[in-house]
Amino acid sequence: MAILSDYEEAQHTPTSPSSFSFNTALDPSNPLGFLDSALNFLSQESDASPLFKEFKKRIKAEEESKKAEEKGRAEKKRREEEKKGMRVPNKDNGLDMENHSWAQTLQEVTITVPVPPGTKSRDVVCEMKKKSLKVGLRGQSPILDGELFETIKVGDCIWNLEDQKTVSVLMTKCDRMNWWKYLLKGGPEIDVQKAEPEPSRLSDLDPETRSTVEKMMFDQKQEQLGLPTSKEIENESLLKQFMAQNPNFSDENQDINFFNMNMK
């Protein structure tokens, strides 16, 4: 356990703060706590620079990240329990049911509903709302009627009657980053871990999705090569700025790299 102590002003002058010391122990199991104490100390005894505030912000973010990881593990366990009752998706990442089938990509959901041969378009009832769907024939009970898994862009959704025997519905997802677990609330769920996205090019993606995918690809490659991820590179840059603006703090520590190592 390392101890940073007796950090004192060499001389008390009217323009400098009074003598002060910083005594705290570095607990290897909680380096972020040590850093938080150090930054609180420096910000109280000297002019608090924006970098101090940024470091404290990062510390808080890391603590929240740990809590999120714990919550994620609990959620993972819950999902594993749920998966026991999930179905394997069809080849189009949906399900084939008795009176309809549905398929999906990350961008769209397609539903196919067989109807009696000779059905006219005027006989079809298809109502699509932001979070609900109803499909059927006039004068009969709806074939599909319920709350959708996620919201849709109603203005971008269409339906048509094919060969007077099949109603085809195309719905555009609002969230284009996740698979739907089911079509309508209360219906059978699929195991989205077994969904297979269609091959696509980065140039086909919208700017936000493309940026996210590129970052994930970069981090994955860096980890495979044993090199810093994008977040680690950003933290290292921030640490260098801190050390450049606070050389005296660096002099009192033979090695401050543990800050960077534990902010990854």
Side-chain angles (χ1 to χ4, degrees), residues 86-153:
M86 292 181 179
R87 300 189 186 185
V88 176
N90 58 25
K91 62 181 181 64
D92 296 313
N93 302 316
L95 279 178
D96 297 319
M97 307 299 292
E98 183 178 352
N99 60 355
H100 73 280
S101 64
W102 67 279
Q104 66 174 319
T105 64
L106 286 173
Q107 294 77 35
E108 301 171 334
V109 175
T110 303
I111 307 169
T112 302
V113 182
V115 292
T119 296
K120 305 295 184 181
S121 295
R122 62 175 178 270
D123 299 325
V124 177
V125 175
C126 185
E127 298 178 2
M128 290 179 279
K129 298 181 180 180
K130 190 173 183 179
K131 195 69 188 291
S132 65
L133 171 71
K134 179 188 290 187
V135 179
L137 298 176
R138 296 188 185 280
Q140 301 182 25
S141 298
I143 299 172
L144 294 173
D145 187 11
E147 180 181 340
L148 296 168
F149 176 75
E150 277 290 355
T151 56
I152 58 174
K153 296 182 178 180

Side-chain angles (χ1 to χ4, degrees), residues 5-234:
S5 62
D6 300 329
Y7 180 87
E8 299 185 353
E9 289 287 349
Q11 183 177 358
H12 173 57
T13 66
T15 59
S16 64
S18 60
S19 297
F20 57 91
S21 63
F22 173 58
N23 295 280
T24 192
L26 169 60
D27 182 356
S29 65
N30 185 27
L32 292 177
F34 173 84
L35 179 56
D36 190 29
S37 299
L39 292 179
N40 280 330
F41 170 72
L42 288 175
S43 63
Q44 292 171 4
E45 301 297 340
S46 61
D47 293 335
S49 69
L51 195 56
F52 285 151
K53 296 179 181 179
E54 181 64 22
F55 258 106
K56 294 194 69 175
K57 180 179 178 182
R58 288 299 183 88
I59 292 172
K60 184 177 180 181
E62 288 298 322
E63 292 174 346
E64 292 177 350
S65 177
K66 287 183 179 180
K67 293 180 181 179
E69 288 178 1
E70 293 177 356
K71 184 178 180 181
R73 285 192 289 270
E75 179 66 16
K76 181 180 179 181
K77 183 177 180 180
R78 183 187 66 79
R79 289 198 301 266
E80 288 175 350
E81 292 296 323
E82 290 182 349
K83 284 177 64 175
K84 296 178 181 179
M86 292 181 179
R87 300 189 186 185
V88 176
N90 58 25
K91 62 181 181 64
D92 296 313
N93 302 316
L95 279 178
D96 297 319
M97 307 299 292
E98 183 178 352
N99 60 355
H100 73 280
S101 64
W102 67 279
Q104 66 174 319
T105 64
L106 286 173
Q107 294 77 35
E108 301 171 334
V109 175
T110 303
I111 307 169
T112 302
V113 182
V115 292
T119 296
K120 305 295 184 181
S121 295
R122 62 175 178 270
D123 299 325
V124 177
V125 175
C126 185
E127 298 178 2
M128 290 179 279
K129 298 181 180 180
K130 190 173 183 179
K131 195 69 188 291
S132 65
L133 171 71
K134 179 188 290 187
V135 179
L137 298 176
R138 296 188 185 280
Q140 301 182 25
S141 298
I143 299 172
L144 294 173
D145 187 11
E147 180 181 340
L148 296 168
F149 176 75
E150 277 290 355
T151 56
I152 58 174
K153 296 182 178 180
V154 179
D156 295 336
C157 300
I158 59 173
W159 71 271
N160 68 297
L161 180 63
E162 300 177 355
D163 300 326
Q164 295 186 318
K165 62 179 181 181
T166 304
V167 176
S168 180
V169 181
L170 176 64
M171 302 185 297
T172 301
K173 298 179 179 179
C174 287
D175 179 359
R176 300 188 175 192
M177 296 293 291
N178 295 296
W179 298 107
W180 284 19
K181 292 182 179 180
Y182 54 80
L183 178 61
L184 297 177
K185 186 175 181 179
E189 297 187 12
I190 64 170
D191 183 356
V192 294
Q193 298 296 324
K194 296 182 179 180
E196 298 180 359
E198 296 179 351
S200 62
R201 297 174 298 178
L202 287 176
S203 58
D204 296 332
L205 303 175
D206 61 80
E208 183 179 356
T209 303
R210 177 175 179 176
S211 176
T212 301
V213 172
E214 287 178 338
K215 183 177 181 296
M216 292 173 60
M217 292 173 64
F218 172 80
D219 287 345
Q220 184 179 38
K221 183 177 181 180
Q222 290 292 95
E223 290 179 352
Q224 291 175 347
L225 296 175
L227 299 175
T229 63
S230 55
K231 182 179 180 181
E232 292 167 352
I233 293 174
E234 182 181 355

